[in-house]
Amino acid sequence: MAEETESTKTEPLKTAEEEFKKLEITEEEESELKLETSDHVTFMVEASIAMKFGAVQQYLEVSPAASASATAIPLHNVASRELILILEYYRMHDWVDAGERDLKEFDERFLKDLNYEELKELLLAANYLNVEKLFNFLTKSIANIIRNKDVEFVRTFFGIDNDYTPEEEAAYREENAWAGVKFV
Amino acid sequence: MAESVDGFTSLPIELLLTILSQLPFKEVVRNCVLSKKWSKICKSTTNMEFNELFFVKLDESDETKEAQRRAFLEFINIWIGNHQGSVVDKFSLRLSMPENVGDIIDRCVSFATLRGVKELALDFADADRSEDMVYFDDYEAQLMLPAQVYEHSSLESLKLYSCGFVVAQMVNFHLLKQVSLGWMKVSLAVIKALLSNCEMLESLSFNKCWNSENFDLGDEPNNTLRKLDIDKCRYDYGVFRINAPNLKIFKYCGLMHAFNVEIHCLELEEAHLDFSPEYGFEGYGHPLCNLVEALYTARLLTVCSFVLQVIPSGPEQIRDMHVRHLIMKAALHQNEFMGITFFLNCCPMLEHLTIEISSLNDLFDYEAPFDFNLMRFWIDHVGVYKCLRSSLKVVEINGFTGTMNQHHVLRYLIFSGVVLKKISINMLKDGSGNVESHCRKSAEILLTVPRVQLRNENLVEARIAGTVNISSFIILKDVLYAPMFSFNLVSISKLVSSLCCSLHFSSEICIIEDQRTKMIGSAKLMRGSYYLNSLKNEFNKEQVSFTVNNNVYGSMTVPESSLWHFKLGHASNSQLEKLCKQLSYVHINKNGVCDIYYFAKQRKTPFPLSSSKTLHAFELLDMDIWGPFPISSVHGYIKYFLTIVDDFSRFTWVVMLKGKYEAHFQIQKFVLLVENKYNVAVKKIRNDNGPEFIIDSFYATKGVFHQTSCVETPRQNGKAERKHQHVLNILNDKSSFELLHGRLPDLGVFGCLCFVSTQCSCRTKFDPRTRKRAFLVFKADVKGYVTCDLHTQEILVSRNVIFHDLMFPFKYAYTGIELIEFHDSEYHYLSGQL
């Protein structure tokens, strides 16, 4: 009995994976690319996803041999931890069956699991890799954090040193009172 | 929340700028105050919005307004002058009375176009315009679009409010995806030209546009259009035609008018219909149904109070909609109830229902499709629709105020929503605590509404499994105790398989019978479910026997006078009396009552011959049911018969039954027949304790006294039981002959040989004139004898019969005819005077 249930559980997963692979193969000839992160971890990444990375595209334009050969494409500014997250995000968003609501839920969870430091690192990595979708998502998310917050919060959030003199600041606040700049 | 993160300052400026540009312009301006470095970043934001209303407050005096307007214009000048960046993505300008400030507008537009603006919005409509107005003036464009914009080919989005344009010049916008027009006259020719000039156009919105033409975009399919938004525009909607196969979002707000709708959009995902400005009712039902039907592919549908009130006046049913999420902007007024049920019925795949409580759209000539009792509507007039049974998971109500109607609707949804997982009730924030506490109370009551959980797809955790004895006959094994369930449910399939019983369902009652068709339980229909009746007698019996047992084990002293009774093993008094005569020391206690004597030795009291007899026919009827017979009748399903014996005349009626459940009906039928035929009222009916005889309400209306025999005492029902034996003997055809022969010459004997004339119409000269047949029965409703052909076993009713009572053709050769009865014929008597 136990064996039966196990096999029935794994089966749909397997078929889904197979279908996924088939799709890839029909879409693109080469199946995987080798990527090496800054901490020297190599990843085998589906070409369909790797080609979404602007940095990878650029590298391949310069040295097209890399796609065929086994040499890894170096990603100097991306650590393995970030690359795992980025791949997770793209695999989800690349998944054919993912509905709009699934993606929304996934994004929320994805963001919830990150602390500010990880968020920053990920933003830098996304910027370096030139992955547009994730980059836009992250900048929008950060903007949402500081939206409708008072000036002091934003200062603490970004760690900004106020280099205005109190007079200058008061004058500016007075001038732009319409934008909701109030005195603290 | 505000944990210090030093990391973000180290981000490159470009990244910070990207983040800042996501913010509304007002906040960007505010963030200039953060530090000098940030002031620079803010001043190169790519997203700019200059809105006159940020500065000008409409309720101020004219002079102040003028000063505020000047400050606004100056701010634009300064900001544009100080702008550090080389790129602008979004540029929005809202400015009323643009005639005098043409230079600033020109400067703004050239500033934006030079920096490659992608989204341009120019709004020159009046500052004090009212958004909600239904009837608006014929707005005219205040200004023409500056010429340099036509050259700016990288534009992706263009919003022009009260800003005229020359459509013929719009030929360079190869990337333009969104166009929003408002507060001016837009002719259909312009819209068509726009659609053909801008081949990438995906989204088209109209806000307070007007023209006197039909909104007819023609038959030619437009494959790029994804979104169409028409907000309070004034067109003649006599014909409303759109052919956009890829349209995903359709939004309409405004008057209904009479639509002649042709919308071709198979890919539609969202449809929003808002007819809140509408005030009339008459005649919109069918056009509205056509419109809703045309939008059937939409997964998200928003409807308003008007739709809910009017749609039931159209056709009764429309095709199934694909709606997954339905938003109702409704007051949950009784006028809207029919519409709500209409949509629940026609959206079988609905998963999410949102009710936004809004004001009722009061239609002056509203007519309800039929009158209903408000309190009973959600009980009487609604079914459990498919979506409630299989798909509706989330119900959301916003602006809940706890009125009776809201309560009823939610109650219904909770009760009937079999797969409902989540209900969120968002109360109206009113300030006064009164409303809130009322809401809270109402919401709390809703929590206690019982739920039908027939086939819950979530697994419910069962804590304990065990056996439950409902009665001595119904013992349920493997009963799962699930604390989440508010009902105790019995699975019919399990019940049938474990008890080997059968269930008969009727409109009021379900009878559970065991293999021998003895009734072991019943269930009453209440509110769509059958409730198992608790068999109280059964329980009482058990309790009684239990208490008696307790007494047996209690302490007891033996009185001296009864000593010999105990010594001789609880001998009976009659035996002791015999002893007493011979042995003087034996005492008898005649007054004592010995439990054990009775427990061990009591016999049934004898049944003396009853001498009481009734004086009139139908004073007393004895009834009993016999069956089931192991072999079905010729008609295949009759296994029982009900015997009715009149006590006075001993006249007997036999009624064939398909099952015991028919007894109710047949008894009632018989009593009424007697009344009619003999003009006598039945006074007393006596039968055994079979539940099939219990029709108290009927007995009460007829004044019949219903008498039952004691449990397990069929002798008290002797006449009917004896008659059974007799009837069965007749069917055995041997004793019947002995009993009947000779005495009643008019009667044939069951199974005897007879010759029956063949029908003239089917006979030729040389055919035999008669056929050999067996006599079966007299039929009460035909003047003739029922006979059976010996060879073909064909059954015929005829009066030309010659009997040979002593011959029994079937006596040895049993040919397969077993028991024959006639349906729907009256009570056919087998013998007159038995």
Side-chain angles (χ1 to χ4, degrees), chain A residues 116 120 127 135 139-140 143 147-149 151 155 157-164 169 172 178-181, chain B residues 1-3 5 7-9 15 19 22-23 26-27 29-30 32-36 38-39 54-55 75:
Chain A
Y116 289 157
K120 187 204 89 181
N127 187 35
F135 183 74
T139 50
K140 210 170 263 179
R147 175 170 296 188
N148 285 327
K149 300 289 183 345
V151 172
R155 274 196 188 133
F157 182 79
F158 285 111
I160 302 165
D161 295 324
N162 184 8
D163 51 1
Y164 281 115
E169 192 178 329
Y172 185 83
W178 63 271
V181 190
Chain B
M1 188 68 187
E3 56 185 277
V5 184
F8 280 102
T9 28
L15 283 187
I19 295 170
Q22 305 275 356
L23 287 174
K26 211 168 164 176
E27 294 201 22
V29 174
R30 204 177 64 185
C32 288
V33 85
L34 291 172
S35 75
K36 281 176 181 162
W38 277 77
S39 172
F54 287 162
F55 287 80
F75 173 78

Side-chain angles (χ1 to χ4, degrees), chain B residues 436-454:
Chain B
E436 200 182 317
S437 71
H438 179 64
C439 289
R440 230 168 250 292
K441 217 179 275 172
S442 172
E444 270 161 25
I445 294 169
L446 285 171
L447 282 179
T448 64
V449 172
R451 292 196 52 191
V452 179
Q453 297 200 335
L454 291 177

Side-chain angles (χ1 to χ4, degrees), chain B residues 23-59:
Chain B
L23 287 174
F25 182 64
K26 211 168 164 176
E27 294 201 22
V28 175
V29 174
R30 204 177 64 185
N31 283 335
C32 288
V33 85
L34 291 172
S35 75
K36 281 176 181 162
K37 177 187 162 195
W38 277 77
S39 172
K40 265 186 200 165
I41 303 172
C42 289
K43 279 179 179 151
S44 41
T45 179
T46 60
N47 173 13
M48 267 165 267
E49 184 192 358
F50 299 108
N51 189 340
E52 194 176 6
L53 294 181
F54 287 162
F55 287 80
V56 179
K57 299 285 168 276
L58 294 173
D59 45 2

Side-chain angles (χ1 to χ4, degrees), chain B residues 156-204:
Chain B
E156 286 174 14
S157 164
L158 183 63
K159 175 175 148 184
L160 298 174
Y161 279 10
S162 205
C163 174
F165 59 95
V166 183
V167 76
Q169 291 189 36
M170 287 187 159
V171 285
N172 295 323
F173 296 146
H174 302 298
L175 298 173
L176 195 63
K177 285 184 182 156
Q178 288 182 30
V179 169
S180 177
L181 304 173
W183 303 92
M184 56 187 170
K185 181 175 178 176
V186 179
S187 71
L188 259 293
V190 168
I191 299 172
K192 281 184 195 168
L194 195 64
L195 281 168
S196 66
N197 284 353
C198 310
E199 61 269 33
M200 293 286 285
L201 200 61
E202 284 180 2
S203 162
L204 201 51

